[in-house]
Amino acid sequence: MLKEFKDFIMTGNVIDFAVAVIMAGAMGLVINGFVADIVMPVVGHFSGGVDFAEMKVVLSEAVTDADGKVTTAENAIRYGKWINSIISLIVVGFVMFLIVKAYNKTKKKEEPAPEAPKGPTQEELLTQIRDLLKK
């Protein structure tokens, strides 16, 4: 059983998949950083200085004691983070589109197989047989 597992793990497909998952995680961090640190400040600037991550609807305020310590946390719908997620999804989709498009350009296009030479049609064969029988 251990040998079968080792054979399974060492197949090319599993290794390729593992590398793809690791690369996707790293790429996700890069893209999330790009969206959070570059795209969102630009979007916020053009939307009047709004920070989408801070946009929320407060359902109940935070409760603090006399010392200023929070006893009950704020309950809020943070729709700004959801907007950030949508923008991130759009950027990720666009980047993946560009990567796939570039990859498809590098692939060698398959040339169609040459057609086999066509033989005589049935009518031509019958005509040849008729002409041979006449002789």
Side-chain angles (χ1 to χ4, degrees):
M1 183 179 208
L2 208 51
K3 183 182 181 307
E4 287 179 47
F5 180 72
K6 179 184 171 192
D7 291 342
F8 168 74
I9 290 297
M10 297 309 289
T11 60
N13 292 341
V14 174
I15 301 297
D16 291 344
F17 181 68
V19 169
V21 168
I22 292 168
M23 289 301 295
M27 188 69 158
L29 291 174
V30 169
I31 292 172
N32 285 336
F34 175 74
V35 170
D37 299 330
I38 296 174
V39 173
M40 290 313 296
V42 172
V43 171
H45 175 73
F46 287 112
S47 65
V50 176
D51 181 9
F52 285 105
E54 298 300 320
M55 297 174 76
K56 60 186 171 185
V57 174
V58 178
L59 301 175
S60 61
E61 295 286 337
V63 178
T64 58
D65 60 9
D67 298 331
K69 185 177 179 183
V70 176
T71 57
T72 305
E74 172 184 75
N75 186 10
I77 299 172
R78 293 173 180 85
Y79 65 90
K81 289 188 177 189
W82 186 66
I83 292 172
N84 282 353
S85 298
I86 291 172
I87 293 171
S88 179
L89 174 69
I90 291 168
V91 171
V92 169
F94 182 70
V95 168
M96 292 307 297
F97 168 74
L98 293 177
I99 290 170
V100 169
K101 188 173 181 174
Y103 174 73
N104 286 339
K105 283 185 178 181
T106 63
K107 288 192 332 187
K108 188 176 183 181
K109 294 182 180 179
E110 293 182 22
E111 296 178 16
E115 290 185 26
K118 292 186 177 182
T121 64
Q122 188 176 10
E123 288 80 21
E124 292 172 338
L125 287 174
L126 289 173
T127 304
Q128 289 175 3
I129 292 171
R130 182 195 66 200
D131 292 343
L132 287 173
L133 289 174
K134 281 184 180 179
K135 292 182 182 179

